[in-house]
Amino acid sequence: MPKWNVRRRPGRMLGLLLLAILSFLVLRRYLHLQPGGCDREVARRVNWPRLTPLWLRHRRLGLQAKGQNFMLEDSAFWIFGGSVHYFRVPREYWRDRLLKMKACGLNTLTTYVPWNLHEPARGRFDFSGNLDLEAFVLLAAEVGLWVILRPGPYICSEMDLGGLPSWLLQDPDMRLRTTYKGFTEAVDLYFDHLMARVVPLQYKHGGPIIAVQVENEYGSYNKDPAYMPYVKKALEDRGIVELLLTSDNKDGLSKGIVDGALATINLQSQNELQFLTTFLLSVQGVQPRMVMECWTGWFDSWGGPHSILDSSEVLETVSAIVDSGSSINLYMFHGGTNFGFISGAVHLQDYKSDVTSYDYDAVLTESGDYTAKYTGLREFFGSISGAPLPAPPDLLPKTAYEPVMPALYLSLWDALPYLEEPVTSEKPLNMENLPINGGNGQSFGYTLYETTITSSGILSACVRDRGQVFVNTVSIGFLDYKRKKIVIPLVQGFTVLRILVENCGRVNYGTNIDDQRKGLIGNIYLNDSPLKKFKIYSLDMKKSFFQRFHADKWNPLPDVPVLPAFFLGPLLVSFSPCDTFVKLEGWEKGVVFINGQNLGRYWNIGPQETLYLPGAWLDQGLNQVIVFEEKMAGPVVQFMETPYLGRRQYMN
């Protein structure tokens, strides 16, 4: 075989050079993913450290706390961060939101990691599609952002059970957020899997993660002094080598600190800044100060007002924080949407479930549009950046589609034969303890309880959270936290009693998270006698749920439909799909599904009046619209170009 002789082949070097250039261009195109293109397959195929420029491979020090300054390697570094949660934003729009963050003058992305979505069943993990954490972090690096990861295990985030999986509550003795063995064993298994994905993305391995948070706001919980040291060690034992942080609000700051982690603070008003920074100085000496959550707005609850925080107040607070020498993270920079049933709840004096929208009155709107806050903050950060900021990306187009008139329908009662076999039980079982989903119970959605009665009287039950009561198929009212009894009218012979119970959201913040089991809790009584022999149907309304409703199962829509029911209609998209907002005027309460995607709950008590429908989830041509309505169906499903919150048009 002849040997290659470079000297005798002068074109060889030129050929190799051209090959190297071509390879570089292909690789750059490969990494420069278009919206929706940064899939997990790419994250698996690309070896991030190998692609890191040589001068960044020898990272030794990482982000450090030195005196009153952060240092990144040998240079002073200010964290100008913003929170965006990958699981609340359609994957196709991740790049758009991160480019808008970069154009606002921010240099760091912060994100939570939701355990309940990543491990929906014990030992079964999901990091695909919209849950591809690695792809999201790599995309942030590509855009030019550092990353602070907040992996929990508890994250709060106005999310069902603060992001903890509901199957933990199958244990009647469970003590969440403590060193209770049943909890730490579950955390250890989850962290084994999660950290194997996170470790290669750290700064010292050539990735963008410069800091990792230890749990979240534990000072407000504070039930076990051994817990925070346990979480810190669990991170370190699995290879977390970057700067560790804690994060607490004013009430919890003194109790959430753990040795070896830098304490940071959460606040909304600059009035709290002096007290909190003084306190930090007293407990950890001269250290860099950081506001981990500078709240740019607030979340909404069903039946309450739409929360608004004036843009001038936000800008004044941000300016004061930066002027004081503190780093900052805007929570939220872009809130996104509680798609599906993932929203949480608060229960202080009264139980209040959170709305589907996580607009948060943030810097970007729920659909990614600019606000007055964005304009002011971009000008502010641009004035201190030392270099021109990138141009903000154009807004994604929005449109109002023609209304959809449901053509077919299926009452809940007619749908029951097509569901999975019901659980039979002598007594009611709560959602989490149903023997379904491989023994993991039910996490989200509705549960229907059926039994028979032979007499009228007073029905009493502990319902979590909202239960519609039926005699045969006739609704006679609701049971909830305040209404624990209902009169059963005169019945003749054997009569079917049904209770359709909705998990409206597990409490995500407070000391009562151990008490968040859903469905019927304990016995249900008729005239003080416990009822027996139940059929229990799980209506989790996952994509697989609707696959059972074949075309021949649907009926033409009658003049007076029997409710609750599913309504089906076609949405025609003639051109390239655009974002839009679904308005259910004339409907009362339910859930909307587009092409199998759960857009979330609607409820006519407000403040939310429209549901965000990303154009990325629509197809050109016909799209399937399914509405599950509990109580009162409207004539059409409308589509708007702008959202409505708080019974007024919400202006961007």
Side-chain angles (χ1 to χ4, degrees), residues 590-612:
V591 191
V592 177
F593 305 84
I594 305 287
N595 296 333
Q597 296 274 9
N598 187 337
L599 299 189
R601 303 177 178 93
Y602 64 89
W603 197 353
N604 65 357
I605 64 174
Q608 182 174 355
E609 294 191 8
T610 54
L611 292 172
Y612 174 48

Side-chain angles (χ1 to χ4, degrees), residues 49-59:
R50 286 177 180 266
L51 296 174
T52 305
L54 186 62
W55 64 275
L56 281 179
R57 289 187 197 172
H58 304 291
R59 304 180 182 192

